[in-house]
Amino acid sequence: MTAKIIDGKAIAKKLRAEYHARVEVLRSRYNVTPALAVILVGDNPASQSYVRNKIAGCKEVGIRSELVELPASTTEEQLLDHIERLNNDVTVHGILVQLPLPAHIRVPSVIEKISVEKDVDGFHLYNMGGLVTGNTVFSPCTPYGVQKILEHENIRVEGQNVVVVGASNIVGKPTALMLMQQDATVVICHKKTRDLGHFTLLADILVVAAGVPNLIVPQIVKTGAVVIDVGFNRLPDGRIVGDVDFEGVKEKASYITPVPGGVGQMTVTMLLHNTILSAERAATATTSPFRRRA
């Protein structure tokens, strides 16, 4: 068996074309252009690269982007003031604060300051809690991208055994909750899980987001499993790899995502989706149906 390699770039391109059409409807019908504000604190090269990709994505689908660049010396209070300004700007539909932040700034305080209606990253406590009930305002972008990949490939989730390797608040936990909402049986494994292969061998769908290169080898993958690799690791020789031994596991899985070219392509795409959705809600509602946190 050789797995079908899921082309995340192609899926993202198809979705972005659909999103561009939605932007055009907003402009023609409501005279509204979706807008995303991105706040970048400091000069972390990786963060700068991620921000460039997000701004390029905005341009591709017709979203207006606003980049707020702040020095690493910015205080937490100053950053919160910038967020409050954007919360109150009715022309801005999404606010994203690029992580990581300088050590002196408390990330929870920053995330909680962003208005729920503009939390297009899906990290606010209201959105994270909403994943439990299936009533979130915005789904976190990477888990949402995983869900969209499964939908695009017509991979059944209902009744399937799903194992998520990695228990982060950004990827692992929300991915598990979103798949549970689709009636999958979900197990979350993490760095203290004993006998990892005991669990992964049971997985019809294996989602890996542990940040450990080649953690998942063929011996611990069920024949015919769907393998979604969310890992992104830079090796000493400069190569980018995921958490899965791609060459080995692709000979055993039924579907597999490559790194790069898989889930990473979808994360920014779902950010664009959430920003457009926010603009659509703002354009069609006189009052917000969502609780607002200042």
Side-chain angles (χ1 to χ4, degrees):
M1 172 181 290
T2 299
K4 176 183 178 181
I5 299 173
I6 299 174
D7 188 344
K9 186 175 182 180
I11 300 173
K13 182 178 180 179
K14 177 183 177 182
L15 290 173
R16 291 185 188 197
E18 295 173 5
Y19 299 162
H20 187 275
R22 285 167 61 179
V23 170
E24 290 304 310
V25 169
L26 277 167
R27 284 177 176 161
S28 61
R29 187 174 299 174
Y30 300 104
N31 194 30
V32 169
T33 298
L36 173 67
V38 180
I39 301 177
L40 177 61
V41 184
D43 55 1
N44 182 298
S47 293
Q48 291 172 334
S49 176
Y50 295 145
V51 167
R52 284 194 298 269
N53 288 338
K54 291 166 183 176
I55 290 175
C58 287
K59 184 177 181 180
E60 180 181 346
V61 302
I63 293 173
R64 178 177 68 84
S65 60
E66 176 182 340
L67 175 59
V68 180
E69 295 183 276
L70 302 173
S73 59
T74 300
T75 67
E76 182 177 309
E77 183 178 4
Q78 289 170 330
L79 176 54
L80 296 180
D81 286 344
H82 280 284
I83 294 172
E84 183 61 15
R85 173 183 66 82
L86 294 168
N87 280 341
N88 294 326
D89 187 342
V90 295
T91 68
V92 171
H93 304 99
I95 302 170
L96 181 152
V97 178
Q98 184 64 46
L99 303 178
L101 290 169
H104 65 276
I105 298 177
R106 295 170 298 169
V107 173
S109 297
V110 171
I111 291 174
E112 288 306 294
K113 186 66 175 179
I114 299 172
S115 169
V116 173
E117 300 99 318
K118 299 186 180 186
D119 172 40
V120 289
D121 245 346
F123 291 163
H124 193 286
L125 280 177
Y126 185 90
N127 282 316
M128 295 298 286
L131 291 172
V132 176
T133 62
N135 194 35
T136 189
V137 181
F138 296 110
S139 297
C141 298
T142 299
Y144 198 11
V146 171
Q147 178 180 302
K148 283 293 184 181
I149 284 174
L150 296 173
E151 289 177 5
H152 182 271
E153 298 298 324
N154 295 313
I155 295 169
R156 184 168 65 91
V157 174
E158 180 182 358
Q160 298 294 87
N161 291 332
V162 175
V163 174
V164 178
V165 181
S168 72
N169 291 334
I170 294 175
V171 180
K173 291 174 185 175
T175 298
L177 288 167
M178 290 174 73
L179 295 178
M180 284 177 65
Q181 288 293 334
Q182 298 179 62
D183 293 323
T185 300
V186 181
V187 171
I188 302 179
C189 298
H190 46 77
K191 62 184 178 182
K192 293 189 178 180
T193 297
R194 291 181 290 116
D195 301 322
L196 178 63
H198 175 78
F199 298 96
T200 58
L201 279 169
L202 297 175
D204 302 307
I205 300 173
L206 179 59
V207 181
V208 192
V212 180
N214 295 320
L215 175 66
I216 303 300
V217 293
Q219 295 92 322
I220 63 172
V221 175
K222 178 181 177 180
T223 299
V226 175
V227 180
I228 307 295
D229 191 352
V230 189
F232 187 89
N233 309 286
R234 188 180 298 276
L235 300 181
D237 62 8
R239 288 185 297 131
I240 302 296
V241 299
D243 293 348
V244 175
D245 172 11
F246 180 80
E247 293 301 325
V249 172
K250 77 175 182 180
E251 300 302 323
K252 197 172 183 182
S254 58
Y255 292 82
I256 191 169
T257 58
V259 178
V263 177
Q265 298 288 328
M266 297 295 292
T267 298
V268 173
T269 301
M270 304 326 297
L271 173 68
L272 305 177
H273 168 273
N274 284 350
T275 303
I276 295 166
L277 179 60
S278 178
E280 290 170 339
R281 287 169 171 165
T284 58
T286 54
T287 58
S288 172
F290 309 113
R291 180 175 65 87
R292 186 178 189 279
R293 285 285 297 267

